Amino acid sequence: MLEKIKENPLDYKGYLEYGKYLENVNLKQAYLTYENALFYCHDELVKIEIQNKLDEITYRQGKVEPASIVILSYNNRQLTQQCIESIRETTPESAREIVIVDNNSQDDSVAYLRQQDDIVLVENDFNAGFPGGCNIGIKASKKENDIFLLNNDTILCANSLYTLRMGLYEKDNYGAAGAVTNNCANLQSVFKSDSIDELKEFGLKNNVVNKRNEIKLMLVGFAVLIKRHVLEKVGYLDERFFPGNFEDDDISLRILKENYQNVLIYNSFIIHLGAVSFQKVDYNGILKNNYDKLAGKYNFQEDNGFYCFTHSETNLAFYLNQIKEIKEDNAKILVVKSDLGAAILHAAYLYPQFEFYGLNNTVSCATISTHLEGVHIEHYFDLENNPFKSIKFDFIVLDSTVIQKDEFEKYMTVLKDMMNDDGKMLIRAKNQSFYMNWYPILKGETDSEFNQNVVYCKNVNDMLSKLDLNVKTWIFYYVDLPSEIKEEIEAIQKVVGVQNHITVENVGYIIYK
């Protein structure tokens, strides 16, 4: 069944067989699969049979409405044209509506777009930015259609839209689906190449039916498909994020808060050429300004060192390499101070054989992270009375760099009792010998002492002895020396005979009872 599709993703026969199977499993996915079969079929008699099947599923309430593909145009006519042509080549007309919003282009974009008879065109006499332009496009689309927000610097590959829609309709509580690509943040990049032909070939092989979906905290808005009823419930893009950036973080968080999930579809690959529209503006300034707006909207200012933790790679779990050493199936893993949950979600995707738990004492994070599917994250006011206190864990992670020194003993005492007798704990602490602690003093730039509220390695050593815990191994988290002081630091290292420890910002301890 699926082997036929993998052998030839452009042949209708495999989709016909798969559609028959799906009729008894997921009627909406069956509809999408028959629709794809019809797209690839050139036998007129068979096409009639497929259409009859689609009509039957529609009668059975299994129809999936088309996706209105909302694309913003702002100059770069060649990119917009390339994107539109890729949509025409790879998707059936019945599966989509193309809505183009031109943000007052000054090149020949509008002249080209006016000649296209298969698009809905909105011509702005001003630049509405990305969120504002998308909202205009959403309002211009057919009211029953799902919304596919797509950058104009993208190229759809064979079956990109089909597999994206299949992923979105895998479960009723999936609210938005994102694609993987060659150029993107949030760990959504899966293949790199400078050749468009190579990228298209990868997409052809990648975009076949499978179950490789990952729940994400957020989806990058270069290509994101949202169910229409979900979008109407959570609201459109927030235009305070003009001209763009962080509006995708924001709508992803709102989708979660309404108890829907954001899902990354690994078998939907779309080529992304990069942020062309932001090349002539102060991109970093826009990024910081809009992050501040996001932080203010969700009251993230209270969070310790919080920055853009909606993206998976920004808070990439420092404990991932240790998890793969766990041998027990169904091991229970607890992450303390799990923030919004981006890192723990990715860990749970990589290691589905384990159960992941998170504890979070930040209210603004907990109102979001407790909605995540596939992980158990709960809020706590007092660690001694946390919701998981009665559970014994095989692996506990504590990043003590985000707690105060006067809290450390309580954390260690409680967490020790939550460890299995043969369990392990990973503690991360600050290295007091890190050059950034003493270099400013050495240079005479400050007379301040070390931060007395920080948990340093010595505090960890003292507490391990007090609680009769043993160190199994050490982990050193190195940092790159700034080029402007590298020679000075290396000279000091040579004099004192210490080679590495001053370049270590944090130290990790693997401990056991």
Side-chain angles (χ1 to χ4, degrees), residues 493-510:
Q493 283 181 301
K494 197 169 184 181
V495 170
V496 299
V498 177
Q499 291 303 313
N500 291 318
H501 294 310
I502 64 173
T503 62
V504 178
E505 182 175 10
N506 297 313
V507 176
Y509 300 76
I510 298 290

Side-chain angles (χ1 to χ4, degrees), residues 29 159-171 174 176-181 187-188 190 202 206-216 219 222-225 261-270 349:
Q29 286 186 326
N159 295 315
S160 291
L161 182 58
Y162 163 67
T163 49
L164 190 64
R165 297 171 83 204
M166 288 287 284
L168 181 62
Y169 281 91
E170 176 71 26
K171 293 185 178 180
Y174 285 176
V180 295
T181 185
L187 300 181
Q188 291 183 223
V190 296
F202 176 84
N206 179 79
N207 297 349
V208 295
V209 175
N210 62 39
K211 303 292 185 184
R212 290 197 65 229
N213 301 333
E214 177 181 358
I215 299 297
K216 300 289 273 189
L219 299 167
F222 85 97
V224 60
L225 177 65
Q261 300 296 313
N262 302 302
V263 59
L264 180 64
I265 312 301
Y266 276 92
N267 63 326
S268 177
F269 181 84
I270 293 174
Y349 169 73

Side-chain angles (χ1 to χ4, degrees), residues 193-349:
S193 175
D194 294 328
S195 166
I196 297 296
D197 288 339
E198 283 185 8
L199 293 169
K200 286 183 176 180
E201 183 63 24
F202 176 84
L204 176 65
K205 294 177 180 178
N206 179 79
N207 297 349
V208 295
V209 175
N210 62 39
K211 303 292 185 184
R212 290 197 65 229
N213 301 333
E214 177 181 358
I215 299 297
K216 300 289 273 189
L217 193 63
M218 69 84 63
L219 299 167
V220 178
F222 85 97
V224 60
L225 177 65
I226 308 173
K227 287 177 180 173
R228 187 58 176 250
H229 75 273
V230 173
L231 184 63
E232 296 297 336
K233 186 173 184 179
V234 305
Y236 297 174
L237 299 186
D238 190 336
E239 296 181 23
R240 80 181 71 182
F241 296 104
F242 177 91
N245 275 302
F246 288 103
E247 75 288 328
D248 45 5
D249 300 72
D250 169 62
I251 197 166
S252 296
L253 297 183
R254 284 189 277 132
I255 287 170
L256 269 175
K257 291 182 80 169
E258 290 292 343
N259 289 317
Y260 295 99
Q261 300 296 313
N262 302 302
V263 59
L264 180 64
I265 312 301
Y266 276 92
N267 63 326
S268 177
F269 181 84
I270 293 174
I271 299 168
H272 184 213
L273 301 177
V276 177
S277 298
F278 286 97
Q279 286 182 351
K280 296 180 180 180
V281 298
D282 178 13
Y283 182 76
N284 289 332
I286 292 170
L287 203 66
K288 183 180 186 314
N289 187 40
N290 280 358
Y291 172 73
D292 289 342
K293 293 176 183 177
L294 185 77
K297 181 173 182 177
Y298 290 91
N299 196 29
F300 287 148
Q301 292 96 329
E302 66 185 80
D303 297 355
N304 190 350
F306 188 96
Y307 180 75
C308 194
F309 279 7
T310 50
H311 285 207
S312 298
E313 79 276 64
T314 310
N315 191 24
L316 189 59
F318 67 91
Y319 45 84
L320 279 181
N321 286 336
Q322 301 306 313
I323 292 176
K324 67 183 179 184
E325 303 297 327
I326 300 173
K327 304 302 181 187
E328 303 86 354
D329 286 337
N330 302 315
K332 290 182 171 60
I333 298 169
L334 172 65
V335 180
V336 184
K337 302 279 286 187
S338 54
D339 292 310
L340 275 171
I344 195 171
L345 273 177
H346 190 60
Y349 169 73

Side-chain angles (χ1 to χ4, degrees), residues 298 300 303 306 339-340 360 362-370:
Y298 290 91
F300 287 148
D303 297 355
F306 188 96
D339 292 310
L340 275 171
N360 197 332
T362 306
V363 175
S364 58
C365 290
T367 57
I368 295 165
S369 57
T370 50

Side-chain angles (χ1 to χ4, degrees), residues 389-408:
K389 191 176 180 183
S390 62
I391 301 175
K392 295 296 183 182
F393 292 93
D394 301 286
F395 188 63
I396 296 177
V397 178
L398 172 62
D399 184 355
S400 67
T401 66
V402 297
I403 63 174
Q404 301 296 311
K405 187 163 68 175
D406 59 3
E407 300 176 295
F408 185 57

